Amino acid sequence: LLSYILIAAGYFQFARRLCNFKLFRWGLGPLAAALLMVLVLWPLRDLHIFIWAAVGGGVYAASLIGFRFFKAEDWEFIKSIYKM
């Protein structure tokens, strides 16, 4: 496991030198949304899995929107998909 972590760290360092690589900047929003989703779902752990999935998906999506994770280009792309 340690060797995989070292290889991944070396890969990220190499990739950062080649291009503008902002992995951790984009990772904080989904990480915070996932943490909030866990905090909401934990008290509901005895409910049916479909209720859990619906509540979890709603909390996660609302969190990403609330944390302003999506940019204007993302919204335009989503709108273009539904206008087919």
Side-chain angles (χ1 to χ4, degrees):
L1 182 65
L2 181 61
S3 63
Y4 287 120
I5 293 171
L6 291 175
I7 290 170
Y11 171 76
F12 286 130
Q13 275 300 93
F14 181 71
R16 288 180 74 196
R17 291 183 185 165
L18 292 178
C19 62
N20 191 6
F21 196 70
K22 297 179 181 176
L23 174 70
F24 296 111
R25 189 183 105 198
W26 291 107
L28 291 178
L31 185 65
L35 179 63
L36 184 62
M37 182 179 64
V38 167
L39 292 174
V40 169
L41 287 178
W42 186 255
L44 307 175
R45 64 185 175 271
D46 295 329
L47 294 178
H48 196 272
I49 189 68
F50 292 127
I51 296 172
W52 229 52
V55 171
V59 168
Y60 189 74
S63 299
L64 288 178
I65 292 169
F67 294 144
R68 299 181 191 269
F69 180 73
F70 297 113
K71 305 296 180 232
E73 303 90 44
D74 299 328
W75 289 115
E76 293 301 321
F77 177 70
I78 292 170
K79 288 179 189 176
S80 71
I81 290 174
Y82 287 111
K83 287 185 180 180
M84 286 197 238

